[in-house]
Amino acid sequence: MRRCICFLAVLSLCSGLAFAAGGTETAAAKKVEVRWLTNTSKTDANFPYYESAINRLMKDYPNITVILEGLESAQMRTKLLTEMAAGAPPNAFACWLNYAREFIKDDKSADWNPILADPRYKDMNKRVTAGLKVATSDDKGRMILFPASMGVDGLFYNKELFAKNGWTAPKTFDEFVALGPKARAQNIYAIGTGGKDFRFAWLAAQLVVRTAGTKKLDALTLGDSKDKWDDPAFGFPQAVTKFKQLVDAGAYPKGTNGIGRAEIDEMFCRGELATQYEGTWLVNNFTKIGGPEFIKKVGRVNFPAMPDMPSGDPNSIVTAINGYSVASAKYQTKEQLDASILIIKYLTDDITAKAQMEGQGVIFANVDFDRSKMAEAALGCVDAVKVSPGFGAPMDTVAPPAVDSAIKKTAFPMILNGSPVKDAVAEVQRAAVDYVKSLEKK
Amino acid sequence: MANELALRSAARRKPVRAGHVVAYAMMVGYALVVILPLLWLVSTSLKTQVELTFNLWGLPKHPTLDTYREAWSKASFERTMLNSLFVAVVTVLVTTAASATVSFVLARIEFRWNRLIYFFVIAGMMIPIHAAVIPLYILEMKLHMQNNLVALSLIYAAFRIPISVFILESFMLTIPRELEECAFMDGAGLGTVFSRIILPLSRHGLIVIIVLTVLACWNELLVAMLSLNRPQYKTLPIGLLQFVSEFYSAYTEMCAAIVIACIPNIIFYSLMQDRIVEGLTIGSLKG
């Protein structure tokens, strides 16, 4: 009994001393668990950088435990939407502009303006260029997501194949269309796209940029002209017509609607395709599946200009913002919110950004990196950002999801199947009108 | 003597008919259709990604087991397989226990609301899992049952019970009533009749529902993906997702992972082959 009393007395004395000495610190180091949901599975080139950043964070803040949940993109979107619908958003998550716009409306994700104004996170501001700030702000002035990095488009071409056949990388769209029959004569195709995976979101956006300009693309996707897809003033009918010209010129492999993205990458590496158009990540794919020698043969140019489209923008590129977001204070504790912001901070700090850029995955603003570590095609993307007069965004990151789906899953596949332009445009217009009506009902 | 034997054996030998040749050719063709993709799978799993690009159909020139090492590590097989196994076992136990008892009551005991209850139970077959995802998620969240493999098994069982009752009840209906009447006359209670007579005679039906349940929960992705956030609870289909991303697919590693993932199925099938075939064929006749 006496031993017991002595033990309790010592225990209470120790606790009291501990509280008096470091009470505040104990509270600050309260154990926090947060979940980071990302569309990056373990096979993705970016996953190791994320894993490393999260490990650094947990080492620096031992009280924070981060559950890193990486899923394939479509599955991640399903999970994110279900959790949002159920009112249980993940603490921090990868996000797209079109999704972020909906989440912030319901106060499910946080506004980044007050976060970036906090002195604790001032370093993060260097990633937010003026252009990115505008692109990620909504009409109420809220910053709907944190623009971590960018994917940049490019028309990637096989330099060896072009040199062997005496071709030059197409500067105008007419030259590109003319490449169709020339390539067929050599038993190859001018361009390939993963139709089975509906990889038309970037091409559709770039075609609108070339036919009507970036401002019209913004108006169609984000602005007040969301139901003008069949209006030639906004360029979409001309964009589909241009796509049809390419298809009719035999530029695409037969059965493109049934060919997957990965098969298209392999065809390009085997020299069965002259070019491939999409984002920076292609450089990584070519390195992995074509080998380190093959990537040296890959060049990059901007998507061809369209001199016959006076309203179009001949030089602007398409870039996708890789955005991150955190659940608002309504859905997580203050400690969790702080930890969630720290995740984003570590994912975009100089260490991660430099490593990720040199790994040829994505492009960060204001990062010192070693150019010698990057392939020529990836550097082409980096340099294109610096000189581009404007930026368009791929349809799957800005267009309302139903409209994006109508473009890539219906309209473009229809053209590949030989349908007329007006029918394909009508499908998109129908989806857009339905979307606008749904907004009015709300 | 030798001539006589030769004559007899020639008489016994049946003439080769054209129909037989065609039938065998078709069977060989069918076997090739089944086997070739599996051979391609194994062959691809031994190639590097670069070799796959330039040698899509050929045998690996420099076979490597690195793909298996990567696949094991990325899919965390040591965890995901055990989790899937645990979920499958719990689901099978709950499904068979619940559906056997419910089917017994509905098939062998006459009472007023019998058919109404039967249709109410099997109406569950008409609820697609996708329609129930959000309510299920909310329910799990409120009950703090996320990241819980037992809870996941209960959800799977809930979706398997209607179809299992549908199958098992039809099996039990075919058992002659005289058997249980004799048992009752010998003093057996309801429990004895169920456990000693009806259940053993329904074993083919039980095998059918066990096989279907194992297949369904072994391959299920959507509910598992939504319910399980922590890496230590992930199941096999989620592990296999790690080889695909929006922009890149590691095919050779994925093939290695599929080869590994097939092993438990092959073992399960080898051990249960006779019973599965027996159960499914009888099921097809009675069901």
Side-chain angles (χ1 to χ4, degrees), chain A residues 33 35 39-44 47 67-73 75-79 81-83 85-88 96 199 202 261-263 265-267 269-270 278 281 285 287-292 294 396, chain B residues 48-56 70 72-76 79 133-135 137-138 141 146-147 221-222 224-232 234 238-239 241-251 253:
Chain A
E33 187 180 275
R35 185 162 58 96
N39 60 330
T40 309
S41 60
K42 284 185 188 168
T43 216
D44 194 292
F47 191 85
I67 298 170
L68 167 57
E69 191 178 13
L71 291 171
E72 185 273 325
S73 192
Q75 306 296 341
M76 182 269 185
R77 287 179 194 230
T78 305
K79 184 155 188 166
L81 290 176
T82 308
E83 291 184 349
W96 301 267
R199 303 299 316 176
W202 286 66
R261 162 193 52 71
E263 284 75 33
D265 289 352
E266 286 172 1
M267 286 171 77
C269 292
R270 284 197 296 266
E278 239 185 324
W281 67 86
N285 292 6
T287 313
K288 277 185 182 170
I289 66 171
F294 177 76
D396 56 353
Chain B
T48 62
Q49 200 67 38
V50 175
E51 189 182 351
L52 178 68
T53 304
F54 298 102
N55 174 25
L56 190 57
E70 277 293 306
W72 189 274
S73 142
K74 281 183 183 166
S76 308
R79 259 200 320 254
V133 154
I134 294 176
Y137 188 85
I138 294 172
M141 205 173 63
Q146 283 171 313
N147 297 307
L221 170 68
L222 182 67
M225 183 193 71
L226 294 172
S227 306
L228 310 169
N229 300 329
R230 293 169 191 271
Q232 64 266 37
K234 302 275 185 187
I238 307 175
L241 267 188
Q242 295 301 326
F243 302 98
V244 189
S245 78
E246 184 176 358
F247 307 123
Y248 177 71
S249 304
Y251 277 146
E253 289 168 14

Side-chain angles (χ1 to χ4, degrees), chain A residues 113-429:
Chain A
N113 281 328
I115 297 172
L116 294 177
D118 187 326
R120 287 178 295 168
Y121 309 120
K122 69 172 194 305
D123 287 356
M124 294 173 78
N125 282 292
K126 73 199 255 191
R127 298 279 169 262
V128 189
T129 61
L132 287 172
K133 169 106 181 165
V134 172
T136 52
S137 296
D138 71 358
D139 49 1
K140 289 182 183 158
R142 292 174 298 194
M143 198 169 160
I144 61 177
L145 54 71
F146 182 75
S149 58
M150 279 185 293
V152 177
D153 77 341
L155 185 70
F156 299 97
Y157 66 103
N158 186 329
K159 289 189 290 185
E160 193 182 64
L161 207 63
F162 271 66
K164 194 174 114 191
N165 292 295
W167 304 333
T168 51
K171 286 196 174 73
T172 67
F173 193 77
D174 289 342
E175 285 174 26
F176 197 22
V177 172
L179 184 63
K182 280 195 256 177
R184 285 308 300 130
Q186 301 301 319
N187 206 24
I188 55 179
Y189 291 94
I191 186 172
T193 301
K196 194 175 147 199
D197 299 310
F198 312 113
R199 303 299 316 176
F200 299 110
W202 286 66
L203 182 64
Q206 179 56 270
L207 288 170
V208 174
V209 169
R210 291 286 180 265
T211 54
T214 51
K215 287 202 171 82
K216 291 286 164 61
L217 176 64
D218 287 348
L220 275 177
T221 53
L222 299 161
D224 50 6
S225 305
K226 292 192 188 79
D227 56 354
K228 300 270 169 55
W229 291 82
D230 60 351
D231 184 344
F234 290 86
F236 188 67
Q238 298 94 307
V240 180
T241 307
K242 292 286 182 186
F243 178 63
K244 191 167 174 58
Q245 282 177 17
L246 270 181
V247 173
D248 292 345
Y252 281 92
K254 276 188 181 155
T256 288
N257 283 331
I259 305 178
R261 162 193 52 71
E263 284 75 33
I264 289 292
D265 289 352
E266 286 172 1
M267 286 171 77
F268 181 76
C269 292
R270 284 197 296 266
E272 293 163 17
L273 297 174
T275 70
Q276 207 180 331
Y277 170 80
E278 239 185 324
T280 330
W281 67 86
L282 283 177
V283 179
N284 228 310
N285 292 6
F286 300 150
T287 313
K288 277 185 182 170
I289 66 171
E293 286 308 308
F294 177 76
I295 194 62
K296 292 176 189 163
K297 299 177 192 167
V298 180
R300 180 217 171 266
V301 287
N302 274 356
F303 192 81
M306 296 178 187
D308 57 330
M309 293 284 150
S311 315
D313 192 334
N315 299 313
S316 285
I317 59 173
V318 166
T319 58
I321 295 171
N322 301 315
Y324 298 147
S325 205
V326 291
S328 69
K330 202 169 136 185
Y331 293 93
Q332 54 183 336
T333 63
K334 190 187 169 304
E335 290 81 12
Q336 283 178 318
L337 181 59
D338 287 342
S340 304
I341 298 166
L342 275 177
I343 294 177
I344 312 299
K345 186 178 172 179
Y346 273 72
L347 287 170
T348 56
D349 67 8
D350 285 344
I351 300 171
T352 310
K354 182 175 184 288
Q356 231 178 314
M357 265 190 92
E358 289 170 358
Q360 301 168 4
V362 286
I363 292 162
F364 288 81
N366 303 316
V367 175
D368 290 326
F369 64 98
D370 185 351
R371 288 179 71 92
S372 68
K373 289 190 175 171
M374 295 178 76
E376 180 198 322
L379 281 172
C381 293
V382 176
D383 296 338
V385 177
K386 291 178 189 161
V387 295
S388 180
F391 300 95
M395 295 296 184
D396 56 353
T397 64
V398 284
V403 177
D404 165 51
S405 186
I407 294 168
K408 64 188 188 189
K409 294 185 180 172
T410 310
F412 277 57
M414 277 171 74
I415 296 295
L416 282 162
N417 281 339
S419 296
V421 169
K422 70 174 174 42
D423 291 357
V425 173
E427 287 292 330
V428 178
Q429 177 63 11

Side-chain angles (χ1 to χ4, degrees), chain B residues 177-193:
Chain B
R177 285 211 172 265
E178 289 77 11
L179 286 174
E180 64 190 88
E181 281 166 7
C182 289
F184 282 132
M185 283 172 74
D186 289 344
L190 207 57
T192 312
V193 169

Side-chain angles (χ1 to χ4, degrees), chain B residues 1-32:
Chain B
M1 183 67 185
N3 281 348
E4 196 180 330
L5 279 174
L7 280 171
R8 272 187 200 171
S9 100
R12 253 185 272 133
R13 208 181 295 143
K14 287 179 183 169
V16 179
R17 288 185 193 155
H20 285 166
V21 175
V22 173
Y24 275 99
M26 282 172 72
M27 281 191 279
V28 168
Y30 180 71
L32 284 176

Side-chain angles (χ1 to χ4, degrees), chain B:
Chain B
M1 183 67 185
N3 281 348
E4 196 180 330
L5 279 174
L7 280 171
R8 272 187 200 171
S9 100
R12 253 185 272 133
R13 208 181 295 143
K14 287 179 183 169
V16 179
R17 288 185 193 155
H20 285 166
V21 175
V22 173
Y24 275 99
M26 282 172 72
M27 281 191 279
V28 168
Y30 180 71
L32 284 176
V33 166
V34 173
I35 291 167
L36 277 180
L38 293 174
L39 289 178
W40 184 84
L41 185 80
V42 175
S43 155
T44 303
S45 72
L46 297 169
K47 291 176 186 173
T48 62
Q49 200 67 38
V50 175
E51 189 182 351
L52 178 68
T53 304
F54 298 102
N55 174 25
L56 190 57
W57 299 110
L59 291 170
K61 286 175 187 151
H62 309 286
T64 174
L65 289 175
D66 287 351
T67 45
Y68 282 86
R69 247 191 306 276
E70 277 293 306
W72 189 274
S73 142
K74 281 183 183 166
S76 308
F77 275 114
E78 71 283 2
R79 259 200 320 254
T80 53
M81 256 192 202
L82 277 180
N83 289 343
S84 280
L85 195 65
F86 177 82
V87 169
V89 169
V90 176
T91 309
V92 164
L93 288 176
V94 176
T95 306
T96 45
S99 46
T101 45
V102 171
S103 302
F104 172 66
V105 170
L106 292 171
R108 313 302 298 186
I109 302 171
E110 284 170 19
F111 57 97
R112 197 176 170 194
W113 302 109
N114 185 307
R115 286 300 88 184
L116 189 71
I117 293 173
Y118 172 72
F119 286 119
F120 180 74
V121 171
I122 65 164
M125 285 195 298
M126 283 178 263
I127 302 171
I129 204 159
H130 299 87
V133 154
I134 294 176
L136 265 178
Y137 188 85
I138 294 172
L139 189 69
E140 268 193 319
M141 205 173 63
K142 286 191 174 161
L143 296 174
H144 302 286
M145 288 178 92
Q146 283 171 313
N147 297 307
N148 186 329
L149 294 176
V150 175
L152 182 67
S153 310
L154 292 177
I155 294 173
Y156 287 166
F159 277 90
R160 295 307 309 169
I161 286 169
I163 178 85
S164 303
V165 168
F166 181 68
I167 294 169
L168 214 50
E169 198 252 9
S170 66
F171 260 89
M172 290 182 179
L173 277 176
T174 60
I175 298 167
R177 285 211 172 265
E178 289 77 11
L179 286 174
E180 64 190 88
E181 281 166 7
C182 289
F184 282 132
M185 283 172 74
D186 289 344
L190 207 57
T192 312
V193 169
F194 172 66
S195 60
R196 296 278 176 86
I197 296 172
I198 302 296
L199 215 50
L201 288 173
S202 307
R203 68 175 188 283
H204 295 305
L206 286 170
I207 289 167
V208 173
I209 64 168
I210 288 171
V211 170
L212 295 178
T213 305
V214 168
L215 286 178
C217 62
W218 192 261
N219 296 324
E220 204 285 331
L221 170 68
L222 182 67
V223 178
M225 183 193 71
L226 294 172
S227 306
L228 310 169
N229 300 329
R230 293 169 191 271
Q232 64 266 37
Y233 296 117
K234 302 275 185 187
T235 53
L236 194 58
I238 307 175
L240 291 178
L241 267 188
Q242 295 301 326
F243 302 98
V244 189
S245 78
E246 184 176 358
F247 307 123
Y248 177 71
S249 304
Y251 277 146
T252 53
E253 289 168 14
M254 194 197 295
C255 289
I258 293 170
V259 170
I260 298 171
C262 283
I263 292 170
N265 298 18
I266 293 168
I267 294 171
F268 176 72
Y269 193 80
S270 333
L271 293 176
M272 303 277 290
Q273 192 177 9
D274 294 342
R275 290 181 180 193
I276 291 171
V277 172
E278 197 183 10
L280 288 176
T281 44
I282 291 177
S284 69
L285 291 173
K286 290 189 178 178

